[in-house]
Amino acid sequence: MDRKVQALLACLFLLTCAAPQHSDDDDGGGWSRSEVGLQDEGPCTIDVLDSTLLTHHQFIEHYAYRRPVILTGITDNTEFRLLCSRTNLLGWFGDRRVRLSTANTYSYRKVDVSFQEYVDFLLKPQSANTLGSDTLYFFGDNNFTEWSPLFDQYKPPPYLLPGTTTAFSFGVAGPGTGVPFHWHGPGFSEVLYGRKRWFLYPPDQEPHFHPNRTTLSWLEETYPLLPPQEAPLECTIRPGEVLFFPDRWWHATLNLDTSVFMSTFLG
């Protein structure tokens, strides 16, 4: 383990143990709040369940292979959330290189910058006319050697699918950003700071979208014209909530605030 990161983690552990617990309405970890145009969280058409009332067997039977679900209280990542404040992440990793990807569906350009440069210059609100190929997004492509001291503090959802293992993807993204529709294997997504709006379709219902247009442009241009039978399942998740999406489900995301988030992919 890098000695600098190890020392910082040790110091921060002592500080957070003595720190008061904050609610989801605290200062947001130093990350910026939503722009005025992104206040609409939309409807929630996905089941939201208290995980204490859902057994692992019920999760497998009713959701794991059938439809998405949002679970509350499934993990307690209060300490990890505090570690992910703006000040803490920049203090540990500001000088580390991170790999950014363009936020379009079928083509991914990679750009390497320092995390400090990303936060200072690229982590800003995005307009609807910005193309996905011009949006640089920090999600996945994490250097696990450098970031493992942080990731080791994360508590993933305990519900696993038979025969799968977990892989983490950590991200920080500005208001108005997100990934357009795509699909892959099943997984969980948890927001640590901010709010993230999700749109999902089952595997046999491919949504209409342009692969180089952002989720924000799709929301403003296509979403209002959808007939009821083509409406997605959707919901906005907040800190303390975990969304599960099944295998091969189409999904797109929109960060309503500057968001810090962790996905746990099941492979």
Side-chain angles (χ1 to χ4, degrees), residues 200-252:
L200 301 103
Y201 286 97
D204 61 353
Q205 190 178 350
E206 182 175 353
H208 299 290
F209 69 100
H210 189 289
N212 199 29
R213 297 288 286 169
T214 63
T215 303
L216 182 58
S217 66
W218 175 87
L219 178 65
E220 293 186 357
E221 299 165 8
T222 303
Y223 177 89
L225 304 178
L226 293 175
Q229 66 272 20
E230 295 183 19
L233 290 178
E234 63 174 292
C235 199
T236 294
I237 63 171
R238 292 169 166 268
E241 299 175 335
V242 175
L243 180 140
F244 169 79
F245 51 89
D247 187 30
R248 294 178 174 267
W249 272 64
W250 291 92
H251 55 279

Side-chain angles (χ1 to χ4, degrees), residues 188-200:
F188 296 91
S189 181
E190 179 172 1
V191 172
L192 287 311
Y193 288 105
R195 297 167 298 151
K196 184 183 287 287
R197 190 171 174 182
W198 282 75
F199 307 92
L200 301 103

Side-chain angles (χ1 to χ4, degrees), residues 98-103 108 110 115 118 136-143 151 167-173 177-179 182 184 188-190 196 198 245 251 253 255 259-265:
V98 294
R99 175 154 292 180
L100 312 180
S101 300
T102 50
Y108 298 98
K110 305 291 186 181
F115 185 62
Y118 175 66
L136 292 174
Y137 197 75
F138 176 46
F139 175 57
D141 282 322
N142 306 121
N143 184 321
F151 294 171
F168 293 151
S169 284
F170 180 74
V172 182
T177 65
V179 289
H182 64 289
H184 45 66
F188 296 91
S189 181
E190 179 172 1
K196 184 183 287 287
W198 282 75
F245 51 89
H251 55 279
T253 62
N255 297 294
S259 299
V260 181
F261 45 93
M262 178 75 89
S263 289
T264 304
F265 295 118

Side-chain angles (χ1 to χ4, degrees), residues 122-168:
L122 299 174
L123 192 66
K124 56 186 180 181
Q126 177 176 279
S127 64
N129 59 6
T130 303
L131 295 177
S133 57
D134 296 326
T135 302
L136 292 174
Y137 197 75
F138 176 46
F139 175 57
D141 282 322
N142 306 121
N143 184 321
F144 282 90
T145 300
E146 294 183 350
W147 289 75
S148 63
L150 176 67
F151 294 171
D152 287 346
Q153 310 306 310
Y154 180 71
K155 299 175 183 177
Y159 293 168
L160 296 181
L161 274 60
T164 64
T165 57
T166 60
F168 293 151

